[in-house]
């Protein structure tokens, strides 16, 4: 049963990393190439859609890693899982403190009501997001190593 938990957790975290990596390095580049109104509308829509999904995914990943760490405490690699869980905690804290406040504003913007500095705010969100992606990639990597 523990093996199934380990594999399931690794897959869930890996898929989350893939989505967030895609946002950072694929979707946002596509959005940035669109005309200004379409760019902003795409970012707002993405913020609404992923803003509803990702909190559940982040918390679920963290809970799964914590359960794995507890259930597998006696097994080799448990320390790596604990560190991975700590990194997932950091990613949640980063999300709540840095990214969610910007996202909550951005998802309500339209071409008619967006602030003059909306691009600067999106650029700040992007920088925070790059850091968060690095954190969750590190967590995923540790889970993969622990699984081996």
């Amino acid at each position: 049963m523990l093996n199934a938990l380990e594999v399931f957790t690794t897959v869930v975290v890996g898929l989350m990393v893939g989505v967030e990596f895609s946002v950072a390095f694929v979707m946002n580049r596509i959005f940035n190439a669109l005309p200004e109104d379409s760019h902003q509308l795409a970012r707002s829509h993405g913020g609404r859609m992923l803003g509803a999904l990702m909190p559940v995914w982040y918390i679920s990943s963290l809970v799964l890693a914590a359960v794995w760490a507890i259930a597998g405490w006696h097994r080799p690699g448990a320390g790596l899982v604990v560190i991975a869980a700590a990194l997932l905690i950091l990613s949640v804290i980063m999300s709540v403190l840095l990214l969610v406040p910007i996202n909550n504003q951005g998802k309500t913007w339209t071409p008619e009501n967006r602030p003059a500095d909306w691009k600067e705010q999106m650029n700040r969100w992007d920088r925070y997001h790059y850091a968060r992606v690095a954190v969750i990639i590190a967590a995923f990597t540790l889970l993969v190593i622990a699984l081996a």
Side-chain angles (χ1 to χ4, degrees):
M1 186 66 158
L2 183 56
N3 287 341
L5 172 66
E6 293 168 346
V7 170
F8 183 70
T9 301
T10 304
V11 169
V12 168
V13 174
L15 289 171
M16 181 178 73
V17 166
V19 168
E20 293 291 37
F21 186 89
S22 176
V23 167
F25 298 103
V26 177
M27 298 309 301
N28 285 346
R29 290 178 188 226
I30 292 169
F31 296 163
N32 290 341
L34 295 172
E36 191 165 277
D37 287 353
S38 297
H39 170 194
Q40 185 267 305
L41 289 169
R43 296 281 300 233
S44 293
H45 180 66
R48 285 189 301 275
M49 189 180 83
L50 291 173
L53 172 66
M54 297 316 288
V56 175
W57 210 337
Y58 273 81
I59 297 299
S60 298
S61 295
L62 171 57
V63 168
L64 287 167
V67 170
W68 175 0
I70 293 165
W73 188 250
H74 61 284
R75 295 178 68 168
L80 296 174
V81 179
V82 169
I83 296 168
L87 289 171
L88 291 172
I89 290 170
L90 176 61
S91 74
V92 170
I93 292 169
M94 291 173 72
S95 297
V96 170
L97 295 180
L98 302 173
L99 290 119
V100 169
I102 298 169
N103 189 63
N104 284 345
Q105 291 176 358
K107 69 184 183 181
T108 65
W109 295 339
T110 66
E112 293 78 30
N113 73 0
R114 67 184 178 220
D117 69 340
W118 73 273
K119 285 185 180 180
E120 290 80 16
Q121 291 187 50
M122 291 295 97
N123 288 336
R124 189 171 71 243
W125 186 93
D126 289 344
R127 287 189 304 274
Y128 293 149
H129 183 66
Y130 294 143
R132 181 176 61 179
V133 169
V135 168
I136 63 174
I137 287 172
F140 175 64
T141 302
L142 291 172
L143 293 176
V144 169
I145 293 167
L147 187 59

